[in-house]
Amino acid sequence: MAKLKKSRGSFPGQNAAPQTASNQPSKDNAGDLADLENIETAMEASHKSVVSRDKEIGETAERPSGPVGLDIGTSHIVMAQNAGRHINTVNQLNAFFTIPYSKFTKKILVENDISFYSKGDQFYILGYSAENFANMFNTNTRRTMEKGILSSHEDEGITVLQSIISSLLAKTEKQEVVCFSMPGVPVDGNASVVYHESIIKMYLASLGYRPISINEGLATIMSELADDNFTGIGISMGGGMCNVCLSYLSVPVLNFSVQKGGDYIDTMVGASVGEPATRIKMIKEGTLNLASTPQDRVETALDIYYVDLVSHLLNTLEHELKTTDKMPNINNALPIALSGGTVLPKGFKDLFEKGLRKVNLPVEISEVRIADDPLNTTAKGAMVMALSEEI
Ligand SMILES: Nc1ncnc2c1ncn2[C@@H]1O[C@H](COP(=O)(O)OP(=O)(O)OP(=O)(O)O)[C@@H](O)[C@H]1O
Ligand SMILES: [Mg+2]
């Protein structure tokens, strides 16, 4: 295949407006030219760096003027906005904690700017505030999502998730585009992503936004593979799952998810060495170096389950690529872009490349690349898509 020409001004996979001979806008193609301008802005945004921060306790929700990217992840919800030379992201913990209702406690919560709502005889404490409470009570926060989608075990999960989203995004009348991340259909579970998507879409619409979903693997591609004409494989390895998308010229050809991620590593290592998963998570996030020889049994088990996760992911990728009937005839070698918190430890790229040599993918891989800012990649990619979708 001929080398792809670098394109400015359009996502190569999208319908570019036919140019008039003089390249002057005609009445008929004025709308198409506006689309091209949006796409140009989106392409520029994909080259910008991210400035990220945590949502502060007591901070009110924003009312964005402009398109928004929203990563609705098992561990975190991240909102991205285009802001001059950078992309700004704000992240909120996707967790909650319940405490018994009392008028006195309510006064204290309000005075301390804690995000919460009350239902029945309980207060539901939201986001980062919930983590502080859980630490104080020496227990775990509860999650609204499990393995990448709405938890079926939490009756209040939907209301809590909606409240956490509204701690980032305020009600508006501006109908701004919000492009939110959606997992691919899991190959190893019977979970319904359709239900998850509909609930989130309805809620964002009720807040006054124009919601559009983007596959999480494709979001990685939109964020990281602009210089490759948005052609390659994007893999987001998060807390609850790994999302994979193969895209050709920004068009998703194949996507799927496996319902294993960082949480799986924490649980399996914890069960193997007899330690709580939360302690394993702290060690993993704090000091794990996959490039060095393990010093104790926790590090040994972390190494083992990292290899296990990557090998499960790559074996599934091999199987999906070999059995799909949608595979385009790609002769060029494809890059793989990796994002999500699970790719953060030192030595992860080498471990992944080692795993890659053990499988026999039906496409050639040119290189493996770790995203610039793995925890914010999905939100950034979703925002790039949102910019191109603006009216
Ligand atoms: N420095 C780190 N080293 C190793 N793992 C980390 C690090 N920081 C975060 N993680 C892990 O990354 C995971 C969270 O990643 P991320 O925020 O990308 O997930 P998510 O988008 O919320 O989840 P998902 O996409 O699966 O729904 C957790 O398992 C967390 O323990
Ligand atoms: Mg994610």
Side-chain angles (χ1 to χ4, degrees):
M1 194 173 76
K3 194 167 181 328
L4 295 164
K5 199 166 153 281
K6 289 264 154 48
S7 126
R8 279 184 60 78
S10 70
F11 285 144
Q14 289 181 286
N15 294 329
Q19 299 287 301
T20 56
S22 61
N23 250 1
Q24 292 301 309
S26 72
K27 265 188 186 166
D28 288 346
N29 69 7
D32 288 339
L33 287 174
D35 281 354
L36 281 178
E37 247 170 55
N38 291 341
I39 289 165
E40 174 111 15
T41 312
M43 301 263 295
E44 270 166 24
S46 73
H47 287 100
K48 291 184 189 175
S49 57
V50 169
V51 176
S52 67
R53 65 184 180 85
D54 292 348
K55 184 82 186 164
E56 290 193 19
I57 290 170
E59 189 187 339
T60 53
E62 290 180 48
R63 189 169 287 110
S65 52
V68 176
L70 195 63
D71 170 12
I72 301 179
T74 312
S75 320
H76 293 100
I77 300 186
V78 187
M79 177 176 81
Q81 285 176 267
N82 201 15
R85 288 167 53 207
H86 300 286
I87 286 167
N88 286 342
T89 65
V90 188
N91 89 71
Q92 172 67 288
L93 198 67
N94 190 0
F96 67 106
F97 193 78
T98 52
I99 51 172
Y101 180 94
S102 90
K103 277 191 178 156
F104 183 78
T105 308
K106 182 171 184 175
K107 192 165 177 296
I108 302 284
L109 293 178
V110 171
E111 279 175 1
N112 284 279
D113 285 333
I114 309 279
S115 314
F116 73 98
Y117 69 87
S118 57
K119 184 168 178 193
D121 56 358
Q122 304 264 287
F123 286 123
Y124 289 77
I125 315 284
L126 310 170
Y128 280 110
S129 302
E131 195 169 56
N132 294 344
F133 271 87
N135 289 340
M136 230 135 59
F137 285 90
N138 201 19
T139 177
N140 295 324
T141 52
R142 286 157 64 185
R143 299 264 191 91
T144 68
M145 283 166 57
E146 194 184 357
K147 298 182 176 176
I149 53 174
L150 270 163
S151 170
S152 55
H153 302 119
E154 289 287 1
D155 291 344
E156 272 296 294
I158 293 176
T159 317
V160 177
L161 178 63
Q162 291 173 341
S163 305
I164 295 175
I165 292 174
S166 69
S167 76
L168 291 168
L169 278 172
K171 238 179 165 149
T172 183
E173 279 163 10
K174 294 189 203 152
Q175 289 283 308
E176 298 291 4
V177 174
V178 175
C179 196
F180 66 96
S181 62
M182 262 295 298
V185 175
V187 291
D188 49 1
N190 56 359
S192 166
V193 293
V194 177
Y195 176 70
H196 177 85
E197 179 177 16
S198 305
I199 296 279
I200 291 166
K201 216 172 219 174
M202 280 190 294
Y203 185 63
L204 289 171
S206 79
L207 289 180
Y209 295 90
R210 194 155 67 85
I212 297 170
S213 62
I214 180 172
N215 172 271
E216 181 154 355
L218 182 62
T220 300
I221 289 166
M222 296 321 261
S223 168
E224 303 302 310
L225 296 183
D227 291 337
D228 303 86
N229 281 301
F230 304 97
T231 298
I233 298 174
I235 305 181
S236 170
M237 303 183 69
M241 54 165 40
C242 295
N243 268 286
V244 182
C245 178
L246 186 153
S247 148
Y248 180 64
L249 301 175
S250 87
V251 180
V253 174
L254 169 87
N255 63 64
F256 66 90
S257 67
V258 296
Q259 288 192 297
K260 284 180 179 173
D263 295 344
Y264 167 79
I265 293 177
D266 304 341
T267 308
M268 296 311 288
V269 171
S272 307
V273 300
E275 296 267 9
T278 41
R279 195 175 116 70
I280 304 297
K281 185 171 184 280
M282 265 176 56
I283 297 170
K284 180 188 76 174
E285 294 181 6
T287 54
L288 180 63
N289 181 348
L290 295 163
S292 68
T293 312
Q295 298 298 313
D296 55 33
R297 62 199 192 106
V298 171
E299 286 184 12
T300 306
L302 277 167
D303 260 23
I304 289 170
Y305 279 102
Y306 251 98
V307 171
D308 175 64
L309 175 64
V310 167
S311 120
H312 175 61
L313 174 67
L314 288 171
N315 284 324
T316 312
L317 177 61
E318 179 180 354
H319 178 264
E320 292 297 309
L321 288 177
K322 282 182 170 164
T323 53
T324 183
D325 50 8
K326 298 182 208 151
M327 195 67 187
N329 199 1
I330 301 175
N331 297 323
N332 288 8
L334 299 176
I336 294 182
L338 297 172
S339 70
T342 296
V343 311
L344 280 170
K346 275 202 192 98
F348 180 79
K349 185 169 173 267
D350 285 351
L351 184 145
F352 190 92
E353 285 172 340
K354 227 180 254 177
L356 202 53
R357 287 193 284 276
K358 292 191 185 139
V359 290
N360 182 18
L361 301 185
V363 288
E364 202 188 324
I365 302 302
S366 55
E367 62 169 323
V368 174
R369 217 179 291 162
I370 303 280
D372 282 343
D373 191 342
L375 289 169
N376 294 297
T377 310
T378 303
K380 179 185 168 185
M383 199 218 55
V384 169
M385 188 58 110
L387 281 169
S388 74
E389 293 283 346
E390 206 184 1
I391 298 171

